[in-house]
Amino acid sequence: ETGAHCFMKGTHGHRKPDPFRISQFYSDDMLHDFYGKDKEIMFAAPKGTIIAEDTAGFHRGTTLQRGYRLLMQFQYSVLDIPTQDELEGRLKPVKLAHVPEELRGILAKLVVQA
């Protein structure tokens, strides 16, 4: 209920079929119609679980039914990924009225707690 992770098996090749050549979001229906719903793998695991995957493949988080999803992503890429200095320059602190206890330490640099 707090957001399983899904991956479409066999889609991690860096050369995509014609209908998927443009880097954008694709609907579940379009992916299921082309690859087959049976190719979708759903990972539902306890908090703290680590998933390593080639994100060139089609992947997504499921819709939250309750709570929140917290993840940490490490990325190795040839794409132009912003540096920590660039990220810090663009992010502005935001006031939130209710910050879950589990997130307070993690969000301390970005969130001003009301």
Side-chain angles (χ1 to χ4, degrees):
E1 295 181 330
T2 55
H5 181 78
C6 298
F7 188 87
M8 292 296 289
K9 185 177 178 179
T11 65
H12 59 280
H14 293 269
R15 288 191 145 296
K16 300 287 187 244
D18 286 339
F20 305 104
R21 289 278 165 112
I22 297 172
S23 180
Q24 65 181 26
F25 289 100
Y26 293 100
S27 72
D28 292 347
D29 289 339
M30 187 173 180
L31 292 169
H32 292 157
D33 288 349
F34 189 86
Y35 290 103
K37 191 169 175 83
D38 63 317
K39 297 293 188 208
E40 185 172 52
I41 302 168
M42 182 179 292
F43 300 92
K47 65 181 177 181
T49 299
I50 296 173
I51 298 172
E53 73 181 16
D54 181 345
T55 56
F58 292 112
H59 61 282
R60 66 181 176 89
T62 60
T63 302
L64 295 173
Q65 301 299 313
R66 65 177 176 85
Y68 58 89
R69 177 185 301 132
L70 177 65
L71 61 95
M72 179 185 301
Q73 178 176 323
F74 296 97
Q75 186 168 339
Y76 175 77
S77 177
V78 295
L79 300 174
D80 186 16
I81 305 299
T83 65
Q84 186 63 33
D85 290 338
E86 290 170 328
L87 284 173
E88 288 173 2
R90 281 190 265 168
L91 297 176
K92 304 288 185 224
V94 176
K95 289 188 179 189
L96 296 178
H98 304 286
V99 178
E101 188 63 41
E102 299 90 344
L103 297 179
R104 288 176 193 247
I106 297 166
L107 297 177
K109 292 182 181 181
L110 303 175
V111 176
V112 177
Q113 297 170 26

